[in-house]
Amino acid sequence: MIPENSQCLRPASAIDELCINTIRFLAVDAVQQARSGHPGMPMGAAAMAFALWDRFLKFNPLNPQWPDRDRFVLSAGHGCAMLYALLHLYGFELSLTEIKSFRQWGALTPGHPEYGRTPGVEATTGPLGQGIANAVGMAIAEAALAARFNRPEHAIIDHFTYVLAGDGDLMEGVAAEAISLAGHLGLGKLIVLYDDNHISIEGDTTIAFTEDVKGRFAACGWHVLSVQDGNEVREVAAAIAAAQQESGRPSLIAIRSHIGYGSPHKQDTPEAHGEPLGEKEVALTKERLGWPREPTFHVPAEALEHFRPAVARGAAWQAEWERRFQSYEREYPELAAELKRRINRELPSGWDQEAPVFSPAQGPVATRSASGKILNALAPKLPELMGGSADLAPSTKTIIAGAGSFQVGCREGRNLHFGVREHGMGAILNGLAYHGGFIPYGATFLIFSDYMIPAIRLAAMGGLKVIYVFTHDSIGLGEDGPTHQAVEQLLSLRAIPNLSVIRPADANETAAAWRIALSRQDGPTALALSRQNLPVLDLQKYPYIQEGVGRGGYILAEPPGGAIPELILVATGSEVHLALEAQGALVAAGVAARVVSLPCGQLFQAQPPTYRAQVLPPGKPLVTLETGVSLGWRPYVTTGGPLEVIGIDRFGASAPGNVVMREYGFSVENVCQRALNLLGREGR
């Protein structure tokens, strides 16, 4: 245990109180000036945040990305005015002018923390529960990297992940999923400060939240501590110190606090949560806590003198780590090179040389099965690939063979078992990506991507390199019926900005899709894969597949004899093969038809207009085929010509997959008839 006279457990002092009030009132003034925001949480949680940042948190303000820093996640992201105050006061590149510009256009102080925008912000938070789940991913990353790279006398990866979460975070289901998994995994370097203020927007939390929170965490395998008064810095510090000593379990510190602390009329009320105090109440609060009314955004010189040594302290921490790393590098040059490469998010030379090439002679193969073979072929070259599924690995084909499972006692394992927890999985994947050193992937059936949308959206917003493997992508899965048959999910995913959704037509397009996903550095990628077997496209006959998938869409087959196409069949995934069959039938009927594979509409839309016009000439009649809602197609195929969309604008049905496909109009006969109707010709 840390001795009683340790610096981190020193008694609170007048300078501590001054610093805490500086944090409080920078937040209060920022919210008041913006006439928008959440002042209550910063007022109540400032003391616990100060205890953590001042006495424990390891960081370098001048290099917020230093790899071995502690991570701090403000899961209660609505309290970001406090986080911005902390970042400014401790010397990050966030000026007082930015604090004064809180929630204004172009400012580095948006209304909720945004990863990549504000120096020192570790995760995009605000949707409650996401941050604490992200932190579970960060703690997994720290443990896995430590197991991979640390050696005796060389603790190169050794840091904590801290979270400040509120009642709302702990009510959300995503948090419950992540909390359960964190306890199972025994993530001892994960410490949650629970700001237990008993208030939500609608009033006292007892109207909806009367569970035994500490009992729930204990039942999930957490180490649970309590602090009765969140303003007692020494008590908070003692609890954090005790949590640090618990190596086998994550820790929850339940800290009783008062929202809007110090406000004569709004303390312990929901009014302190989501609206400015008002000028009169601000003045009364400052008076009560002995703070000058003017000037606003007051930072006492004595307080700044206490905060700013963090800059030199952080530089010293990093310099000492770099000295140790140099020694490590001399003794373990290959490991050091791998760690640097992974931290810098660089792919190794020749990483995709072992990617399989598929041949029609091998017979039809489901793209989910092809994906599993590709994953296992690439994984030995990419040790940073880490992931798993929501209890569906045998179906999604996402186990890395021979790589072990990440568990208590096996931190080297690369296979994650998320259990039936899609929402938690999505947020934990984000945490792995935020932390760095990994390319995380997660898998489930496409229909269950609905559970993951909030986390996927945040990954896209933060530009995170996360790969989603969504299998069982259509009504073609058959007998499980409409509850499991994805219809609207492709549209839903394609609507998310900065998410690349790729639906490959066969095994070779799937290999190209994996290359795209692994090469991408500015956002997540979703692969939509088939359960049913599909013919393999012959690379000798269709040599443009690799480049074509990279461009989002390409001409797969032209009409024979060099004829000018009078109609274009456009399809994705399993329907590409239907389009090829229909092309043959149309040619026999005297119609020169082109087949275009369009695995990723977003990538296709990003191509130069000249290329898009080459693939889909303006004014040319188009027939599109996809087993999903027709609305999702129109943005990608608007060429001004006649258009026939063969899709599904209702739910699926339970029957063998080929029967469902036929009954829903995905047959050669129906495609040809619809094409002929579009051209104004009679069928034969």
Side-chain angles (χ1 to χ4, degrees):
M1 294 293 292
I2 297 177
E4 279 295 306
N5 62 355
S6 171
Q7 177 68 10
C8 70
L9 296 183
R10 69 182 186 274
S13 64
I15 191 65
D16 289 342
E17 192 64 27
L18 184 70
C19 289
I20 292 166
N21 279 332
T22 302
I23 296 166
R24 280 187 180 121
F25 287 110
L26 278 181
V28 167
D29 286 341
V31 171
Q32 189 60 41
Q33 179 154 300
R35 287 176 166 72
S36 172
H38 303 75
M41 193 279 275
M43 297 167 74
M48 69 181 79
F50 173 76
L52 173 63
W53 279 64
D54 203 64
R55 303 189 184 189
F56 296 94
L57 199 67
K58 181 176 66 173
F59 60 95
N60 182 1
L62 299 185
N63 184 6
Q65 296 302 311
W66 168 43
D68 201 38
R69 69 193 182 279
D70 290 336
R71 270 56 169 185
F72 173 75
V73 178
L74 183 65
S75 192
H78 56 274
C80 60
M82 180 184 73
L83 177 57
Y84 300 146
L86 289 163
L87 293 170
H88 167 70
L89 293 168
Y90 280 106
F92 287 78
E93 292 186 19
L94 190 70
S95 68
L96 192 60
T97 299
E98 293 290 348
I99 303 292
K100 294 177 180 179
S101 300
F102 179 56
R103 291 187 162 218
Q104 304 308 302
W105 179 265
L108 298 179
T109 49
H112 290 86
E114 296 179 23
Y115 175 77
R117 182 174 184 83
T118 311
V121 169
E122 298 282 8
T124 300
T125 58
L128 293 175
Q130 289 287 329
I132 189 171
N134 294 158
V136 173
M138 293 178 185
I140 291 172
E142 192 275 343
L145 287 175
R148 169 67 177 162
F149 293 104
N150 287 355
R151 292 296 182 271
E153 308 303 322
H154 292 284
I156 297 303
I157 304 297
D158 184 14
H159 54 265
F160 287 90
T161 301
Y162 297 97
V163 185
L164 201 162
D167 293 292
D169 288 296
L170 302 190
M171 293 184 205
E172 284 286 1
V174 62
E177 293 182 15
I179 288 161
S180 175
L181 186 59
H184 165 75
L185 293 174
L187 300 173
K189 299 180 88 170
L190 172 63
I191 299 174
V192 175
L193 279 62
Y194 167 31
D195 177 26
D196 181 15
N197 62 38
H198 292 197
I199 292 294
S200 63
I201 291 176
E202 293 186 1
D204 192 291
T205 52
T206 57
I207 63 174
F209 191 55
T210 52
E211 68 183 47
D212 178 0
V213 171
K214 291 182 286 186
R216 168 159 66 100
F217 273 78
C220 288
W222 285 60
H223 174 220
V224 178
L225 305 103
S226 298
V227 174
Q228 297 305 314
D229 185 350
N231 288 316
E232 290 293 336
V233 172
R234 182 179 170 86
E235 290 185 18
V236 174
I240 296 172
Q244 287 186 334
Q245 298 303 306
E246 173 55 62
S247 61
R249 294 176 293 171
S251 293
L252 174 81
I253 307 173
I255 305 173
R256 182 70 175 97
S257 64
H258 297 275
I259 195 168
Y261 177 78
S263 171
H265 303 106
K266 294 191 177 182
Q267 178 176 315
D268 295 327
T269 71
E271 288 74 24
H273 171 80
E275 60 187 44
L277 296 179
E279 292 181 5
K280 290 183 179 179
E281 191 70 12
V282 169
L284 290 172
T285 304
K286 288 181 176 180
E287 181 179 347
R288 171 174 281 192
L289 295 181
W291 198 256
R293 293 190 180 191
E294 297 292 341
T296 56
F297 300 97
H298 175 51
V299 179
E302 305 96 306
L304 203 58
E305 287 175 8
H306 183 86
F307 285 117
R308 286 303 164 85
V311 175
R313 188 165 63 243
W317 272 330
Q318 182 173 345
E320 194 273 336
W321 180 83
E322 289 175 346
R323 179 192 61 76
R324 289 189 289 110
F325 187 81
Q326 289 171 0
S327 174
Y328 173 79
E329 192 170 25
R330 287 191 295 271
E331 192 166 349
Y332 302 101
E334 292 183 2
L335 283 174
E338 181 190 328
L339 179 57
K340 287 196 289 188
R341 177 187 66 75
R342 288 170 62 167
I343 289 171
N344 293 330
R345 303 182 181 187
E346 298 170 352
L347 296 175
S349 175
W351 63 272
D352 62 344
Q353 288 180 353
E354 300 301 319
V357 175
F358 297 87
S359 165
Q362 297 171 279
V365 59
T367 52
R368 63 165 177 163
S369 299
S371 172
K373 293 176 182 178
I374 296 159
L375 172 65
N376 275 276
L378 297 177
K381 277 278 193 176
L382 295 171
E384 58 265 49
L385 261 175
M386 185 177 189
S389 80
D391 196 48
L392 289 168
S395 289
T396 58
K397 313 298 183 185
T398 43
I399 287 288
I400 300 176
S405 297
F406 182 89
Q407 295 286 346
V408 173
C410 185
R411 299 310 198 197
E412 300 88 351
R414 295 165 61 187
N415 291 298
L416 287 167
H417 302 280
F418 293 100
V420 187
R421 301 183 180 103
E422 278 91 355
H423 199 176
M425 176 175 71
I428 289 168
L429 294 174
N430 288 354
L432 283 159
Y434 283 131
H435 184 281
F438 291 94
I439 302 174
Y441 67 89
T444 187
F445 296 171
L446 180 59
I447 193 75
F448 301 134
S449 65
D450 286 347
Y451 290 135
M452 300 175 63
I453 290 294
I456 294 173
R457 183 176 186 272
L458 290 174
M461 191 181 299
L464 302 182
K465 186 172 183 174
V466 179
I467 300 172
Y468 309 106
V469 180
F470 294 136
T471 67
H472 297 58
D473 69 342
S474 76
I475 60 171
L477 70 88
E479 289 87 346
D480 276 340
T483 61
H484 283 54
Q485 293 170 357
V487 174
E488 74 274 22
Q489 281 65 34
L490 287 170
L491 169 62
S492 176
L493 292 168
R494 286 169 179 156
I496 299 174
N498 198 38
L499 173 66
S500 291
V501 181
I502 308 177
R503 187 171 184 241
D506 82 322
N508 287 315
E509 280 202 357
T510 303
W514 266 104
R515 285 189 174 93
I516 294 166
L518 289 165
S519 300
R520 190 177 182 204
Q521 296 289 359
D522 60 351
T525 303
L527 308 180
L529 306 175
S530 75
R531 175 186 182 273
Q532 71 271 34
N533 290 335
L534 301 175
V536 174
L537 297 171
D538 189 345
L539 290 178
Q540 299 297 316
K541 185 176 181 181
Y542 307 111
Y544 193 59
I545 286 176
Q546 176 66 45
E547 182 180 349
V549 174
R551 304 190 81 163
Y554 64 103
I555 300 170
L556 179 63
E558 292 281 31
I564 297 174
E566 53 186 313
L567 175 87
I568 302 177
L569 301 171
V570 188
T572 76
S574 52
E575 291 75 74
V576 169
H577 304 281
L578 175 59
L580 288 171
E581 290 184 61
Q583 181 196 38
L586 286 168
V587 168
V591 176
R594 168 187 290 176
V595 175
V596 167
S597 176
L598 195 75
C600 184
Q602 297 98 323
L603 286 175
F604 185 69
Q605 287 294 85
Q607 300 306 306
T610 51
Y611 176 78
R612 286 185 279 126
Q614 176 187 345
V615 175
L616 301 177
K620 192 70 70 173
L622 302 179
V623 177
T624 69
L625 295 81
E626 186 175 69
T627 52
V629 291
S630 59
L631 179 65
W633 262 99
R634 300 184 188 278
Y636 307 117
V637 293
T638 303
T639 61
L643 175 64
E644 181 72 16
V645 176
I646 300 177
I648 302 176
D649 291 315
R650 54 184 171 132
F651 295 115
S654 178
N658 60 332
V659 174
V660 180
M661 292 285 280
R662 183 190 68 233
E663 293 296 324
Y664 276 68
F666 290 90
S667 65
V668 171
E669 294 76 14
N670 185 57
V671 172
C672 290
Q673 187 60 59
R674 301 273 285 271
L676 292 170
N677 291 346
L678 188 68
L679 295 173
R681 303 183 191 179
E682 294 183 4
R684 297 183 179 180

